[in-house]
Amino acid sequence: SQQGEEDPQALSIQEGENATMNCSYKTSINNLQWYRQNSGRGLVHLILIRSNEREKHSGRLRVTLDTSKKSSSLLITASRAADTASYFCATGTGNQFYFGTGTSLTVIP
Amino acid sequence: GAVVSQHPSRVICKSGTSVKIECRSLDFQATTMFWYRQFPKQSLMLMATSNEGSKATYEQGVEKDKFLINHASLTLSTLTVTSAHPEDSSFYICSAPIAGGYYEQYFGPGTRLTVT
């Protein structure tokens, strides 16, 4: 299976704390993307990191990519209750994406 | 605003019936669209690639006769779940590549299918 794996599966933190999620994948990739999904809703694209990039920032988000370890991490700083959602990484060599198992983040106000 | 729409957003049907789900790209053309399914509290699984003007490409383990895909125009792909069973109950999501984007895609809001 090309599906990635994420850990932790569930994460609960207090508002204001940082949240870190990890994603491991199995095959070679061109890029890796992170998405969030509120319960029962569609996906929202957060950030894309290319295979030749090591780190990328977007607002309170910081993504790292280690292609030698086939892993990526998503850091959300100064978390807010509104960040409560499921977060997925997705990898692909083209337009076909394979999603990780996801991390369910709960930010407690 | 949404650039990929899906219709219906929710559908309930009886076992044995067929259900059609539409995925439309708004204000842009998509020669390729993708269909995913997601079971509760699980990840998205790619089902198939919908190709305008040609047959869809299905992922391993996905029955093409069960999940009929038609990409009739550059802005519309349809997924028909034939002879639906309760185990087909799931969240179905489509996506379309962003023109000129680096493998970035717009995702539709999803369709919740419940088969009773």
Side-chain angles (χ1 to χ4, degrees), chain A residues 49-68:
Chain A
I49 186 165
R50 303 184 185 197
S51 59
N52 61 353
E53 298 176 312
R54 291 297 168 259
E55 188 171 312
K56 203 161 183 180
H57 297 254
S58 177
R60 293 184 296 113
L61 305 180
R62 172 177 168 255
V63 168
T64 63
L65 178 64
D66 187 335
T67 52
S68 66

Side-chain angles (χ1 to χ4, degrees), chain B residues 18-30:
Chain B
S18 294
V19 175
K20 180 186 287 187
I21 302 170
E22 295 184 348
C23 176
R24 292 183 185 272
S25 57
L26 309 177
D27 299 327
F28 73 101
Q29 295 181 336

Side-chain angles (χ1 to χ4, degrees), chain A residues 11-62:
Chain A
L11 179 62
S12 184
I13 59 174
Q14 295 289 331
E15 202 166 30
E17 294 180 339
N18 296 341
T20 300
M21 291 159 259
N22 303 296
C23 166
S24 60
Y25 57 92
K26 298 175 183 177
T27 62
S28 297
I29 60 171
N30 293 116
N31 67 86
L32 185 144
Q33 305 188 37
W34 284 90
Y35 290 83
R36 69 172 276 167
Q37 183 183 35
N38 288 68
S39 181
R41 307 288 290 274
L43 294 169
V44 175
H45 179 262
L46 295 177
I47 198 165
L48 177 151
I49 186 165
R50 303 184 185 197
S51 59
N52 61 353
E53 298 176 312
R54 291 297 168 259
E55 188 171 312
K56 203 161 183 180
H57 297 254
S58 177
R60 293 184 296 113
L61 305 180
R62 172 177 168 255

Side-chain angles (χ1 to χ4, degrees), chain A residues 2 27-33 35 45 48-51 90-99, chain B residues 32-34 36 46 49 59 95-98 101-107:
Chain A
Q2 293 178 267
T27 62
S28 297
I29 60 171
N30 293 116
N31 67 86
L32 185 144
Q33 305 188 37
Y35 290 83
H45 179 262
L48 177 151
I49 186 165
R50 303 184 185 197
S51 59
T91 59
T93 55
N95 278 318
Q96 292 174 309
F97 290 176
Y98 297 94
F99 284 82
Chain B
T32 305
M33 291 183 176
F34 300 91
Y36 298 82
L46 178 64
T49 303
E59 293 297 299
S95 71
I98 297 172
Y102 185 79
Y103 302 127
E104 296 173 66
Q105 298 202 29
Y106 293 117
F107 281 82

